Amino acid sequence: MEIHRCEPGVFDSSTDSRLGWLCRLTYVVVDKPDPVGRSEQSDLERGLIPLRIAQSALMLIVLFVAEAGQDFSSPSRMVFAAIAIVNVLFNIGRFVSEDPPQGRLVLLSQLLLDGMLGIVAVLALDPAVTPLAWIALLIPVLDAIALHSNVAGLLTWVAVAGGYTAFRALYPSFGGEPTASFSTGLQQLLAAALVGIPIGFWSTRLADALKRANEERRVARHTATRLRAAAQAGRRLVAARNPESVERELMNELISLGIDRAELWHENGPDGWRLNRAKGVPLREQTTVLLDKAASSGSLVSLDPNNAIELQQAHGTGLDMVVAIPFTKASDGILRIWSKTDRMLGEAEREAISVLAASTSTSFENARVHKALQDWSNELEHRANHDSLTGLLNRAGLFSVVTELTEAPVPPREIGVIFLDLDGFKAVNDTYGHEAGDKVLQVIANRFSAVMPENALLARMGGDEMAIVLTDPDELDTMETLATSLVEAACKPIRVSPHTAQVGASVGLTRGPGNASIDALMAEADTAMYDAKHAGGGAVAFSDR
């Protein structure tokens, strides 16, 4: 197992990083695949390579050192020695190469080399004296079994045995007494066939079984890693508190897996599908392939190899591999994932994507509910603290804000209150009706808001009464000027179709220390306002404080 940096379509084993899938999920831990060519060699074939090298080295010793090699002429020894050396070099190259040569020509060449060396070994090492010499003939047989099939192994045995028998028939006196050597050779040939070929067959079966078991274990480990990373990503998605955060986090998690491109689509009514988010490699052209298919199936779907339209649409994007799966319970949201190769969309990755989509669906619905509750809570709080007709703060909202200011670690040094009552408002209600009165209040609220200083608090206290609280020192110094501006704004005619209404305003002012009671200040300003009203209205009066 190696650690790879997880970038779209790229795995860089030179950089140490950590997992999160399917990298935190920004990195991913994956099983390193067999190098190209290695995976095509069976364990038995790789195991035969050092055996061939040892056989060839032994042949060189027999030919030039052992007495048995003296039965061959000098040219023959040189030819066989050259074959042995070629076999050693060829197999050393295959053993150390990351990309060993493959193919029929390699198979045939290896069988010929091993077969010739095997026959020479049996001829040089008299089977009457050294019965184990027959083992040399099993090497090309095992080669054929490992590289092709059991039938090929049997045919190879017949070929090398026939070659040895033919040589003995032509040269009966080679290597010993003709009759005894030939007779013993035939007997041991049969014995080796009866023992060696079944051993080779079952060895191959065992090697294949071990290889399948190792592959299954690797796949299981790889799948477990992917699923564990997907589960970890799902737990992170649960922490998101609104649908937008869920979608944004999901995009980050998917790209960190090495996915080339991830998309989130939402159903857009009669207009079809709308691409909501996308991250990764851009597509050459956009397509809605698999979206309807995923929505109708409710599960992960991929391209149908028999559907020419799907394949053509996917091919036009420049990323041929794609899967799609709903990520909302109503299937009105589709997650679509693209990859340049099927490596990142294998069975393990698809299982992990399904797990992540299920986690996203739950997180998305939870985030929707949470956001709806939060919005509703905010709405209730706003309604509780604001006047529904004018949108201004109401009495409770104003007192709440002022209380926070006065109880702050650094309260304001001074507070100013302007209390205002509209003159002639009752006549508007009585003459034109309450709808006209509501219209007048809305227009007055907008006019007062337009002349409010930046830090002033404007509230409707009830009926036609309004109040302004000032805490900024500069704004307190212009308090009288602000009151005059309010009177002027209130006196302007108001169009109440089809009539024109006219009201005025009486204003009372007061100021107090920052720790003063807001109720007391309101009462003082209210008293001053009535003084202005009793003076004829349309005036500003100050508290006696």
Side-chain angles (χ1 to χ4, degrees), residues 88-156:
V88 168
L89 296 177
F90 180 70
N91 280 278
I92 289 177
R94 297 189 69 192
F95 190 75
V96 301
S97 175
E98 288 293 327
D99 186 12
Q102 304 288 335
R104 295 181 179 275
L105 182 59
V106 174
L107 169 63
L108 181 59
S109 300
Q110 188 64 68
L111 289 177
L112 288 175
L113 288 174
D114 290 344
M116 292 180 64
L117 292 175
I119 292 175
V120 171
V122 175
L123 292 173
L125 302 173
D126 188 351
V129 179
T130 313
L132 291 178
W134 292 105
I135 295 177
L137 291 183
L138 292 180
I139 294 179
V141 176
L142 294 177
D143 272 343
I145 293 174
L147 293 170
H148 199 274
S149 66
N150 295 317
V151 174
L154 178 61
L155 295 177
T156 301

Side-chain angles (χ1 to χ4, degrees), residues 3 9 37 84 108 150 229 246 252 261 293 323 370 372 388 492 494 540:
I3 298 178
L108 181 59
N150 295 317
V246 172
N252 295 335
R261 179 180 174 84
K293 188 176 180 180
V323 297
H370 182 274
S388 59
K492 294 178 181 179
I494 300 173
V540 177

